[in-house]
Amino acid sequence: MDDSPSLEEQIRHHALTLASIANNGLVFTADVFDRQRYEHTQLIATELLALVSNGTPAELDKIVSLEEGYMTPKIDVRGGVFDDTGRVLLIRDRSDEQWTLPGGWCDILEPPSEAIEREVQEESGLTVRASKLVAVLDRDVQKHEPVFPYHVYKMFFLCDIESHGVPSPIETMEVDWFPVEKLPELSKSRVLEGQIRLLHEHWAKPELPTVFD
């Protein structure tokens, strides 16, 4: 089996590397000619990303330009909530009408534990307490689809239920509990079956060590 990266993966990797060099250079340089070179490099990076993305160069330029300062990965948090029988809580997201663990992006100045507690409450109606960081995984290494024009770390937490409430109708179509052996169609952009099984293993054996890429 050939595990070498595809041409699309290589182009994306080089484009993100160029975008990182450009953004970081724009932070530290004071030379006007160097700034022009870095801005040109940033433009080339977004044009390369457009070759392997559904976004236009203009749309991708907005994404890359939003990253002011030293370019770093974005952080996505996901919560593993289980009932007494070991069923996992999933929400059906309105954006693609598929099922996923509750979660989303961390906000600036928001600790990741508070981010996942907020996301679970908003999307499922449950008030929870983050009890364990199970895994820190690289979205690219995990082979999520589709690929994004930026780099993402995914943090998976076990969460304990403290109280019940009403989910946000804006983001969530349905909320339900599923046996880990009988999961519905998942939103592979957000979560993979193996990640849910990993959370379930840690729920059953809390002493297991944190996993990371």
Side-chain angles (χ1 to χ4, degrees):
M1 182 178 178
D2 185 7
D3 292 329
S4 58
S6 67
L7 178 60
E8 178 179 298
E9 290 172 331
Q10 293 180 61
I11 292 174
R12 178 175 172 275
H13 174 82
H14 292 316
L16 289 177
T17 300
L18 286 173
S20 177
I21 292 171
N23 280 34
N24 298 344
L26 288 169
V27 171
F28 295 112
T29 188
D31 184 272
V32 62
F33 296 108
D34 281 342
R35 291 195 65 83
Q36 292 176 351
R37 295 186 186 97
Y38 286 129
E39 287 169 353
H40 188 213
T41 301
Q42 191 178 64
L43 176 62
I44 293 171
T46 56
E47 290 177 345
L48 284 173
L49 285 172
L51 296 177
V52 293
S53 169
N54 292 329
T56 66
E59 292 168 339
L60 293 169
D61 183 59
K62 290 180 181 179
I63 293 173
V64 173
S65 298
L66 283 175
E67 189 69 41
E68 296 183 357
Y70 198 89
M71 193 169 179
T72 60
K74 294 173 70 66
I75 304 296
D76 174 72
V77 290
R78 295 288 154 181
V81 184
F82 296 89
D83 66 10
D84 293 339
T85 66
R87 295 184 305 171
V88 64
L89 175 77
L90 297 179
I91 62 103
R92 193 175 177 205
D93 195 275
R94 288 193 178 277
S95 63
D96 59 8
E97 300 186 358
Q98 293 178 327
W99 294 88
T100 181
L101 294 170
W105 300 120
C106 277
D107 288 338
I108 298 298
L109 302 179
E110 182 180 39
S113 60
E114 292 183 11
I116 190 54
E117 291 169 355
R118 171 182 56 78
E119 289 285 353
V120 172
Q121 194 280 325
E122 290 175 353
E123 296 182 348
S124 75
L126 296 178
T127 300
V128 300
R129 178 181 61 84
S131 58
K132 180 183 180 181
L133 176 61
V134 170
V136 180
L137 304 178
D138 186 307
R139 191 179 186 277
D140 288 353
V141 173
Q142 296 290 309
K143 303 296 184 183
H144 283 265
E145 295 177 352
V147 296
F148 286 167
Y150 42 85
H151 194 193
V152 178
Y153 288 167
K154 298 178 70 66
M155 303 180 72
F156 292 85
F157 289 88
L158 281 180
C159 298
D160 298 332
I161 301 173
E162 295 194 333
S163 64
H164 293 72
V166 179
S168 166
I170 297 175
E171 298 183 51
T172 306
M173 294 178 66
E174 294 180 69
V175 179
D176 209 344
W177 300 87
F178 295 90
V180 174
E181 299 78 18
K182 295 182 179 180
L183 296 173
E185 183 176 1
L186 298 175
S187 174
K188 294 182 179 179
S189 175
R190 296 172 176 82
V191 68
L192 303 177
E193 181 177 341
Q195 294 162 352
I196 294 176
R197 291 185 179 275
L198 176 64
L199 284 163
H200 188 262
E201 290 174 10
H202 282 251
W203 171 80
K205 297 180 179 180
E207 69 275 11
L208 289 173
T210 298
V211 176
F212 51 88
D213 283 328

